[in-house]
Amino acid sequence: MRISLCQGLLTGAIILNLLILYFVSRAQQQMMEKRKELGRGSRRAVRPASPFGGALGVIGGEHGGMAVEGHGRGPRVTVILREFENFENYVGDVANSFLRQRPELPFLAVTNTFPYPPLVLPEGARLLMLSPSPDQPPQAHRPEFHVQTEFVLLVPDGVELEQPRVFERLIKELEGEGGGPVRLVAVPVLARSAVQCLHLRVNLKEWTATYSSAISGSSGSVCTALQGDAVVLIRTEDLFNLSVPLGHPLFPALFVQTTLRGWKVKLLESPYFSANHRPLFSSAHNQWKADTRLKEATGKLMRSFGLKRLLLPEGKEQWFGCTKETPRCFGTVQDDTPDYLYLDRWTPPCCLRALRETTKYVINVLESSGVRYWLEGGSLLGAVRHQDIIPWDYDVDLGIYLEDVPNCDHLKNLDSGSLVDANGYVWERAVEGDFYRVQYSEANHLHVDLWPFYSRNSVMTKDTWTQHKQDVEFPEHFLQPLVPMPFAGITAYGPNNQRAFLELKFGEGVIENPQYPNPVKKRLDRSKL
């Protein structure tokens, strides 16, 4: 049987890919075995390809031993300074402070990109850039290849080492916890912002992280997050088991990930570290630059983690999702199943906030115009269950009397096109059927749908129908009278016998048995509610 040129090339490509996968797997396995050997025995220096040459020192070079070293082993701790500003920093001073008293310790300054002006580091300190370079191997920018010690000490900029034996105390504290939930030990930095022990709850399903105050100030306080200046010790294995081990900003990145793993941090009152630069920045302008960059980095980090809302201990909120000026957080919905449901998440809180604002606005317009309306479909179901929008719903449905449409200036002329009102809301006739839609803005298409019905022989009906479950006929007596009910932070009107109305449209037991809109595509796991 003859083999064509294309078949031969395809076969060769498959064989080449298999060989590449084999050698990559072997290299990873050998790397892990080497790390284990180095953790048990002597250490070797890691010298990645770097444009800085030897002037910046060698990670983990061979030095004389002190108590922080094991018997016959190299240093047990690598010091990492992750956060500093290029325009003003004291990284060189920090490195000198540590290496002057503990010259055997590897010291690593970590940055995303090349710092300019360039850092001036003492011998024994190295710079690691996390951004990959096309002319270097992958290990050059991956921190796990550059740390060969058992522990990592994470230090802030401007810190000073005054107590050389602090490492032993921290290691003893962490080892004393065994394999329990405490996987990090921290001590404060004096003369800086006081460190606070916080409780952090991360709810990925609701895209939200909530910080609350914890008892702090006494030695041995255990919590799930820290705020302020602190030095943190963590096992190297634990650090590099995180998805983003050295994210920026460091503490939010670190504690979001450790909280999701059920880990805790112990905050000690002593020993402590000093800060030889207070304040850290010499001018108000540089402080403003640092604050601005921190805010931008926090937003980028939270969005990458899929967190769109932070609740802070003092009651403030920070939002990282969609706004009136940006598109909504999800695209066109297919099969009544938005993309986030496939990720086991619910409607982003920024989207729910926008839906609530739009609902409040639309209802105010309808009421002031004399248009009778009622909560429909899933929105009525949410009002009955939660007094709010269903947590995974992506729009709001209102029924209206068709005969009242001419009363509303926003609705009566929509046959000739859409209307952008003075507050930026977009009123239009929906393209999917004979109903109206009010969008949050021209950029953000979160919306409230208005379903017009008219009465015929005491039955609420329409001339055209869609595939929506709520788009069916029903007796008008459900609307005589309409009754007020709490919904999405306001008082709205709904049918007078909500259970019977909902079971007519969705089936018996719909209130007690929540389910996603299209369980054929994605079914709700009620055991996780």
Side-chain angles (χ1 to χ4, degrees), residues 35-208:
R35 285 188 61 190
K36 291 179 180 180
E37 291 173 3
L38 291 170
R40 294 190 296 264
S42 62
R43 306 175 60 253
R44 297 191 186 100
V46 177
R47 188 187 296 272
S50 170
F52 310 107
L56 297 181
V58 179
I59 297 176
E62 302 292 342
H63 296 282
M66 295 181 70
V68 76
E69 298 185 29
H71 298 292
R73 298 192 299 182
R76 301 182 70 189
V77 180
T78 295
V79 181
I80 293 182
L81 199 167
R82 172 63 179 100
E83 296 188 316
F84 57 90
E85 296 293 349
N86 295 346
F87 53 83
E88 185 175 6
N89 63 74
Y90 303 95
V91 177
D93 292 347
V94 176
N96 274 315
S97 171
F98 279 81
L99 296 176
R100 187 167 52 245
Q101 299 198 55
R102 304 301 294 259
E104 82 284 1
L105 295 181
F107 187 99
L108 190 59
V110 178
T111 180
N112 289 337
T113 57
F114 176 70
Y116 182 81
L119 297 178
V120 178
L121 296 179
E123 184 179 354
R126 286 296 298 266
L127 174 68
L128 172 63
M129 294 182 295
L130 299 179
S131 297
S133 176
D135 63 337
Q136 296 189 13
Q139 63 267 27
H141 64 89
R142 291 172 56 181
E144 62 267 30
F145 283 89
H146 300 269
V147 178
Q148 303 298 324
T149 57
E150 187 179 355
F151 299 95
V152 168
L153 189 75
L154 302 169
V155 303
D157 192 12
V159 75
E160 184 176 14
L161 177 64
E162 288 187 343
Q163 304 178 42
R165 310 296 295 183
V166 65
F167 300 95
E168 287 79 7
R169 168 70 190 280
L170 295 179
I171 290 174
K172 182 179 179 181
E173 285 285 348
L174 190 53
E175 289 183 329
E177 295 295 332
V182 173
R183 309 291 276 270
L184 308 93
V185 173
V187 291
V189 177
L190 300 185
R192 284 279 187 85
S193 59
V195 62
Q196 291 180 282
C197 214
L198 302 176
H199 287 311
L200 172 60
R201 184 175 65 88
V202 180
N203 188 333
L204 291 180
K205 185 179 288 292
E206 298 181 6
W207 312 74
T208 300

Side-chain angles (χ1 to χ4, degrees), residues 453-469:
F453 288 81
Y454 64 90
S455 177
R456 183 174 61 194
N457 299 324
S458 298
V459 173
M460 299 302 293
T461 187
K462 296 172 60 181
D463 292 331
T464 61
W465 303 95
T466 68
Q467 299 300 314
H468 291 272
K469 290 182 178 180

Side-chain angles (χ1 to χ4, degrees), residues 2 73 110 133 159 216-217 223 274 276 281 311 341 401 458 466 505 510 512 522:
R2 297 183 62 185
R73 298 192 299 182
V110 178
S133 176
V159 75
S216 61
C223 50
S274 299
N276 55 3
F281 301 103
L311 298 175
L341 290 185
Y401 272 87
S458 298
T466 68
K505 296 206 169 192
V510 64
E512 294 81 13
K522 179 65 178 179

